[in-house]
Amino acid sequence: MSTYTLVIGNFNTSSWSLRPWLGLKVAAIPFHAETVNLRAPDAKAQILKHSPSGKVPVLLHHGLAIWESLAILEYIAERHPEDQLWPQDEKTRAIARSVCCEMHSGFATLRKNCPMDIMGRPANHEGVDIAKDDIQRIQSLWEECRSRFGKGGPFLFGKFSIADAMYAPVVTRFTTYGVKTSPTVQTYMDAVWSLPAMQEWQDGARAEVLAAIG
Ligand SMILES: N[C@@H](CCC(=O)N[C@@H](CS)C(=O)NCC(=O)O)C(=O)O
């Protein structure tokens, strides 16, 4: 039986929830997902029952509540070293952490103007132009990771790592808003989308959106 409970928000829109959920799924670590509909009037009260920050995701484990997506992924990586959720080489791992921190603390213009909306496909979304500097930085970051560290597989550091979990919501945004990508970036995005766990998350988003329109 799983000892982890991950409290998450909506599949279609909760970008921070997707990150640890994907890490746990790809590493095949059993967990129970408890969802909170962030649009419900009592959403804040529901979250506050578990999370001191009043935000999701939060991981519940043996009486501990661990909040903040990156802290959750770090906790999982420490408890399951055999899953190699960080690159094994010390210097490469340091770069992977930089890449993750840049996502966790940055790209506010992209996050604000191109919010995650997995099932949406708005035409000519003006947010793409507003966020062009963030989009350019992310694409060059992905290209650099792929060329310097990507030899062992299709992900940023070859094998799937926490860096891919952190950027998965950006992959969905680029798809939703039809962002123009280089061939290298497109190939990377295809690899993320072809993860069975991404398909499962997308199925959750589809079901949620269909339920909302009745
Ligand atoms: N820095 C946090 C961000 C968490 C966050 O903003 N979560 C959103 C959902 S994606 C949330 O809980 N929103 C509900 C609210 O603020 O009331 C993390 O990395 O986990």
Side-chain angles (χ1 to χ4, degrees):
M1 206 189 79
S2 145
T3 55
Y4 295 114
T5 296
L6 184 68
V7 184
I8 57 174
N10 304 59
F11 287 91
N12 194 46
T13 54
S14 183
S15 55
W16 295 109
S17 299
L18 168 57
R19 293 171 166 109
W21 188 95
L22 188 61
L24 283 161
K25 283 277 173 178
V26 173
I29 297 165
F31 68 103
H32 166 69
E34 189 170 320
T35 52
V36 174
N37 177 2
L38 299 178
R39 294 215 181 97
D42 67 342
K44 200 55 149 186
Q46 291 297 326
I47 299 172
L48 279 168
K49 279 189 201 161
H50 306 295
S51 173
S53 68
K55 292 188 186 298
V56 287
V58 59
L59 183 75
L60 311 176
H61 186 236
H62 292 319
L64 264 186
I66 301 140
W67 68 100
E68 290 289 328
S69 51
L70 192 49
I72 296 170
L73 283 159
E74 286 279 13
Y75 183 71
I76 293 297
E78 268 190 28
R79 297 200 78 249
H80 300 271
E82 69 285 359
D83 290 318
Q84 301 188 357
L85 281 165
W86 285 119
Q88 296 305 286
D89 172 68
E90 185 185 66
K91 291 192 174 76
T92 310
R93 189 163 60 248
I95 300 293
R97 284 201 163 102
S98 299
V99 163
C100 290
C101 289
E102 188 172 350
M103 177 70 250
H104 196 244
S105 63
F107 305 125
T109 309
L110 176 73
R111 290 198 273 118
K112 181 167 175 225
N113 294 284
C114 299
M116 190 167 93
D117 176 7
I118 291 191
M119 299 311 293
R121 290 292 179 275
N124 305 320
H125 183 66
E126 62 176 15
V128 171
D129 195 44
I130 298 169
K132 62 181 183 321
D133 292 349
D134 282 356
I135 289 170
Q136 197 181 354
R137 168 65 189 147
I138 291 167
Q139 294 211 40
S140 65
L141 186 67
W142 289 354
E143 282 176 355
E144 190 189 344
C145 287
R146 288 291 306 135
S147 79
R148 283 179 69 191
F149 307 108
K151 303 289 178 290
F155 297 105
L156 293 177
F157 291 86
K159 184 182 174 301
F160 179 91
S161 75
I162 287 176
D164 304 294
M166 289 304 290
Y167 281 88
V170 175
V171 169
T172 79
R173 286 174 163 106
F174 282 10
T175 301
T176 293
Y177 299 105
V179 169
K180 285 197 184 64
T181 54
S182 68
T184 302
V185 164
Q186 191 55 55
T187 304
Y188 169 63
M189 287 172 54
D190 292 346
V192 172
W193 273 121
S194 58
L195 287 165
M198 280 301 283
Q199 294 299 311
E200 189 181 334
W201 184 274
Q202 191 180 34
D203 289 346
R206 186 179 298 109
E208 219 172 58
V209 168
L210 288 175
I213 56 179

